[in-house]
Amino acid sequence: MALMQSHWGGRGVKLLWVKRVVILLVLLNVFQLLILLNSENRPVKPSTALKDTPSSRPQGFSGRQSLGKPWPLLGAFTSWTVDPDLDPDSCEAFFGNGYTQAFTLLDPGPHSHARGSVVKEDSRVRSKRMQEIVESWREREVKQGLGQVKDEIHGVSSQTDEQAAQMGKQNKVYQPSPRGGLFQCFYSQTLRTSICEGTNMIMYPKKIKMSKGGELLFAVMGRNEEEELPYFTTGAFEIMVPEKEERRALFNKSMLERLIPVKSITKHTMHHLFEQIRTIPVDEVICAQRVSTPTIVVTRFEYANLFHTVTDWYSAYITSRVTNLKRRPRLVFVDGHCKSPMDEAWQAMFSGVHFARHLTGPVCFDHLIFAPLGYNSPLFKGLDLGLSCTGCAPEDIPNNPRHNTARIREFGEFFVAAMNTTANVMPQKAIFTFKVLFVRREDYLAHPRHSGKPESRLSNEVEVLEALQAWASSRSGMKREDGVELSVTIVEGLFAHWALHEQLKIVRESSIIIGAHGAGLSHLLFAMPRETVIVELSSPFFVRPHFEAMSQWMGMEYHKIDMASSEADCSEVIRDLDQIFLGLIRRRDYKLTIP
């Protein structure tokens, strides 16, 4: 009996230990689950890899962001911290960091300012106020149990705006702040325009008159450009104000002219958009869907031209930086343009791209930002100003802080990183292939009004190509001291038939980029500034400063071969190119035997 008791007693002890282990494992799993859930609701911190320093720009708008692509590590990145003492005539101010004057048009705080007046404030005060707003968003969601925030943007349905809004109300899509939204603009004295942003805003897609956008090109051939550009009816965008406040226009005429002047832009769509923004009491707000991820509104004009698209890309990029977004934002195209080869890059650079007329409205945005038009971009405005700005590495800026800049290189690096481009470039000591990219202009359909035949800037393009190929053959075969031969290759840049990532790859691999004036040379912004030389064949009929200026802003070597007409003298082109080639070989110290 005693033996039996001992046997069962030992078994009981074992069972007790098993129960304890099982309970411990369950508790550990529950603890890990709680940590995971807590981390998912925690705001994303900025990447330390970006060398981000505390900024005096508003933090609160972007603090709530938890979704979206992270910013890549950029060697040319420098902080976008506001410097109130920044010289407005400096290159740093011109290329984007000159948006230093903060103006508040709407403040939901307890000490709100007089309605209808522009109030200039210190942006550090705005930072604290906006952070408080964002924290109140989080607390309110927890207390009121609103459920999961839906960050996906839904497409068009057959519902009217009113039906979609009613459905959103039933599903508790949005519970607005009882104090309404905040709206402010950052004005650049240098560029004479503003980047504006607001919280608790609403977009009504069907109040924007334009084509749907995003169609295949062949489906909309012949469509008029006016149909693709937006016309805003009253209240196309609204911003929330406290209950029982009267509806009114957000901007008055003097505000608008001061912050978003029209100047020489014939159809300033952003000016017209702001003119139609209205306030709406929060108790009247009904939305079909809610977007909590920061979203930038972009209107494009010459969307199928690489140069003009680059100005839009740059504008969207600096808008993200000026508003201190911790991750890459979404974009909403407020235009009705069809698909283009440039769409690949928009998708790669940002966290989502949507056409306004594809959305089921009304759409509520926690944080909505308005990018300046490409015509207000530094890359466009700088062409007529004769800026004495030189691109350099960030560490070289102090050598000449007024005229040196790393901003264009920073943008180029961001673009290349976003496109995930890897070039097959050999290290200098082992180089055996020297690529020369000849950018050609060829027949292609660019947009619904295009004939398919771009204007020729080089009438004997084929003859020039054959001369380049013969020259490359004559220069191939030079040997290094270790006996390795150098092969010079001419790459025929038929960009109209290449995907954008394919174009970018060959640009990164090329030591010389040569071509007549044309948008394709805009690729120089994405080349390696210390490794690539730009050669422009300049016709007297197309004298433009674009690529000489852009090369200088990148800190790249640039040469112009002037032509007497639209026909190039091939012997002169080869003679000049050969001198450029030999100079490059000597400077890079390839240790080649040059005949």
Side-chain angles (χ1 to χ4, degrees):
M1 186 73 175
L3 184 60
M4 183 180 253
Q5 287 178 344
S6 174
H7 169 75
W8 287 105
R11 186 175 180 183
V13 170
K14 288 180 181 178
L15 287 172
L16 179 62
W17 277 106
V18 169
K19 289 180 180 178
R20 288 176 177 175
V21 170
V22 170
I23 291 171
L24 181 60
L25 289 173
V26 171
L27 289 174
L28 284 173
N29 282 322
V30 170
F31 182 68
Q32 287 177 335
L33 181 62
L34 289 172
I35 291 176
L36 179 62
L37 291 173
N38 184 52
S39 66
E40 288 178 346
N41 292 324
R42 194 174 299 152
V44 176
K45 296 181 180 179
S47 169
T48 55
L50 286 178
K51 301 180 283 188
D52 203 7
T53 57
S55 171
S56 59
R57 294 200 191 280
Q59 303 284 333
F61 276 16
S62 56
R64 193 172 190 276
Q65 186 173 351
S66 60
L67 301 175
K69 299 175 185 177
W71 292 106
L73 174 66
L74 306 174
F77 180 85
T78 54
S79 172
W80 287 78
T81 304
V82 173
D83 179 4
D85 299 322
L86 183 66
D87 182 352
D89 294 325
S90 68
C91 295
E92 172 70 2
F94 187 83
F95 284 108
N97 212 20
Y99 289 92
T100 54
Q101 298 181 20
F103 295 89
T104 300
L105 282 82
L106 188 66
D107 188 341
H111 304 295
S112 59
H113 301 283
R115 302 287 188 262
S117 62
V118 174
V119 182
K120 182 178 177 182
E121 299 185 9
D122 183 90
S123 56
R124 287 168 290 188
V125 176
R126 304 263 33 91
S127 173
K128 183 177 179 181
R129 278 281 300 111
M130 291 181 197
Q131 191 62 48
E132 291 172 354
I133 291 173
V134 171
E135 291 303 325
S136 70
W137 279 344
R138 293 198 192 96
E139 292 173 8
R140 189 170 66 255
E141 285 181 0
V142 172
K143 290 178 182 178
Q144 296 181 354
L146 295 180
Q148 179 69 34
V149 173
K150 293 179 175 136
D151 272 295
E152 68 274 11
I153 300 182
H154 307 295
V156 169
S157 74
S158 58
Q159 296 174 316
T160 64
D161 280 353
E162 292 73 19
Q163 290 171 332
Q166 190 60 38
M167 184 67 70
K169 183 178 182 181
Q170 292 172 3
N171 294 333
K172 293 186 177 181
V173 169
Y174 188 71
Q175 182 70 33
S177 163
R179 294 203 305 197
L182 185 152
F183 196 94
Q184 66 177 13
C185 294
F186 299 103
Y187 180 74
S188 168
Q189 182 180 341
T190 310
L191 295 171
R192 299 290 192 269
T193 193
S194 300
I195 292 171
C196 299
E197 58 181 348
T199 63
N200 292 347
M201 295 198 68
I202 312 167
M203 179 180 73
Y204 297 85
K206 293 184 179 178
K207 291 186 178 181
I208 307 172
K209 307 303 181 184
M210 61 187 178
S211 49
K212 182 180 177 182
E215 309 93 343
L216 293 175
L217 171 59
F218 292 103
V220 293
M221 285 302 297
R223 185 166 66 187
N224 192 288
E225 185 178 22
E226 288 300 311
E227 297 177 52
E228 298 180 348
L229 296 178
Y231 178 83
F232 302 97
T233 59
T234 301
F237 287 83
E238 292 180 334
I239 186 166
M240 303 173 207
V241 293
E243 293 183 20
K244 304 189 186 319
E245 275 203 18
E246 287 187 16
R247 290 175 176 256
R248 63 178 179 86
L250 179 63
F251 286 82
N252 62 36
K253 187 174 181 180
S254 63
M255 292 178 197
L256 204 50
E257 291 301 327
R258 181 175 182 181
L259 297 177
I260 314 287
V262 173
K263 299 295 182 183
S264 60
I265 300 176
T266 306
K267 185 169 183 177
H268 201 306
T269 52
M270 200 57 66
H271 183 99
H272 185 223
L273 184 157
F274 288 144
E275 193 174 30
Q276 302 304 321
I277 296 178
R278 297 294 183 267
T279 63
I280 179 173
V282 293
D283 55 319
E284 299 179 24
V285 172
I286 301 174
C287 282
Q289 55 183 310
R290 175 189 183 185
V291 181
S292 64
T293 305
T295 303
I296 295 181
V297 170
V298 173
T299 297
R300 305 164 297 162
F301 280 75
E302 300 177 58
Y303 69 101
N305 175 285
L306 179 60
F307 169 74
H308 287 285
T309 300
V310 164
T311 67
D312 288 326
W313 287 338
Y314 191 78
S315 184
Y317 175 74
I318 65 174
T319 296
S320 304
R321 293 304 198 181
V322 166
T323 52
N324 196 38
L325 300 184
K326 304 306 180 188
R327 288 185 171 237
R328 290 184 257 170
R330 295 181 186 274
L331 296 186
V332 170
F333 286 152
V334 182
D335 61 54
H337 300 308
C338 65
K339 291 182 181 296
S340 86
M342 313 302 169
D343 296 348
E344 177 187 359
W346 284 111
Q347 293 284 357
M349 286 190 288
F350 299 97
S351 294
V353 179
H354 310 271
F355 284 84
R357 287 303 304 271
H358 287 201
L359 306 182
T360 300
V363 185
C364 287
F365 294 91
D366 285 1
H367 183 191
L368 197 60
I369 312 161
F370 302 88
L373 299 179
Y375 295 134
N376 286 129
S377 163
L379 295 179
F380 187 83
K381 282 196 164 184
L383 298 177
D384 297 327
L385 299 180
L387 293 176
S388 179
C389 294
T390 301
C392 66
E395 58 269 22
D396 295 328
I397 294 176
N399 298 335
N400 191 345
R402 182 181 173 87
H403 297 289
N404 284 357
T405 179
R407 292 299 177 196
I408 308 301
R409 288 190 183 185
E410 175 187 331
F411 166 69
E413 288 183 9
F414 165 67
F415 185 87
V416 171
M419 293 291 286
N420 196 24
T421 301
T422 303
N424 296 324
V425 178
M426 300 296 294
Q428 290 185 11
K429 293 182 180 179
I431 196 165
F432 61 92
T433 300
F434 190 101
K435 291 184 179 180
V436 177
L437 172 61
F438 180 40
V439 180
R440 297 190 58 185
R441 292 176 66 84
E442 55 185 325
D443 293 351
Y444 73 103
L445 274 175
H447 53 75
R449 296 155 295 282
H450 196 238
S451 67
K453 292 187 177 295
E455 191 174 10
S456 174
R457 277 91 187 266
L458 182 60
S459 59
N460 61 333
E461 191 175 83
V462 174
E463 184 184 350
V464 172
L465 173 63
E466 292 172 349
L468 290 173
Q469 291 170 335
W471 166 79
S473 178
S474 69
R475 277 302 181 188
S476 293
M478 292 192 299
K479 294 184 178 181
R480 282 199 327 223
E481 292 176 351
D482 59 5
V484 176
E485 287 190 1
L486 176 70
S487 173
V488 180
T489 302
I490 302 297
V491 180
E492 192 176 358
L494 300 172
F495 285 170
H497 302 294
W498 295 3
L500 200 56
H501 69 273
E502 294 172 330
Q503 300 176 35
L504 189 58
K505 183 175 184 294
I506 195 61
V507 165
R508 299 286 291 175
E509 294 174 357
S510 298
S511 296
I512 296 177
I513 300 176
I514 182 171
H517 180 92
L521 288 180
S522 303
H523 273 300
L524 71 87
L525 295 179
F526 315 126
M528 297 183 179
R530 294 172 181 162
E531 306 294 329
T532 309
V533 176
I534 307 302
V535 181
E536 182 177 3
L537 305 178
S538 179
S539 163
F541 308 117
F542 300 98
V543 180
R544 304 285 190 276
H546 295 57
F547 307 113
E548 182 174 8
M550 291 163 66
S551 297
Q552 182 180 343
W553 301 338
M554 280 285 287
M556 298 177 71
E557 184 178 340
Y558 170 89
H559 297 270
K560 181 189 293 184
I561 299 178
D562 290 312
M563 303 186 296
S565 65
S566 61
E567 181 177 325
D569 182 334
C570 292
S571 60
E572 181 183 357
V573 170
I574 296 305
R575 183 176 63 251
D576 290 353
L577 180 63
D578 197 54
Q579 291 302 311
I580 294 167
F581 166 76
L582 294 176
L584 193 57
I585 290 294
R586 292 189 181 97
R587 284 196 304 278
R588 291 185 179 177
D589 193 22
Y590 287 157
K591 302 187 185 305
L592 291 165
T593 303
I594 302 175

